[in-house]
Amino acid sequence: MSKALEESKAAAPPPKPLFGSCWSCRILSGSALIGAGYWVYLGPRRVISRGIAPSPWNIFQLSFAVSLACWGVVILADPVGKQKK
């Protein structure tokens, strides 16, 4: 039974990247995520610029904003599509 499982894994095609080779899809979604990260970043940044000490919620929002922007950069860079096997 395990031999049949190994043969089916060997015959399966490699997984296709999420956006395939659609450059315009990657540009649109990557830049939208970067823009969303910037928009989320502006909220707590306004509070901090007023001289108010940041709350844990503000720190969470800043961290989330950075992660959104990084996700957008990863989609634009497409590191999975550039891997060589």
Side-chain angles (χ1 to χ4, degrees):
M1 177 159 246
S2 65
K3 186 176 180 179
L5 182 61
E6 289 175 12
E7 289 176 5
S8 67
K9 284 184 180 179
K16 190 175 179 183
L18 181 63
F19 294 100
S21 60
C22 181
W23 177 243
S24 61
C25 299
R26 288 192 357 239
I27 292 283
L28 180 65
S29 58
S31 58
L33 281 168
I34 291 171
Y38 180 69
W39 183 77
V40 171
Y41 172 80
L42 287 178
R45 192 68 196 139
R46 286 188 197 118
V47 171
I48 294 170
S49 68
R50 291 183 196 150
I52 302 171
S55 68
W57 176 247
N58 294 130
I59 294 170
F60 173 76
Q61 282 180 314
L62 289 172
S63 302
F64 183 67
V66 169
S67 66
L68 279 175
C70 289
W71 189 14
V73 169
V74 166
I75 287 179
L76 286 174
D78 190 29
V80 175
K82 294 178 183 175
Q83 284 182 345
K84 303 276 183 185
K85 290 187 179 183

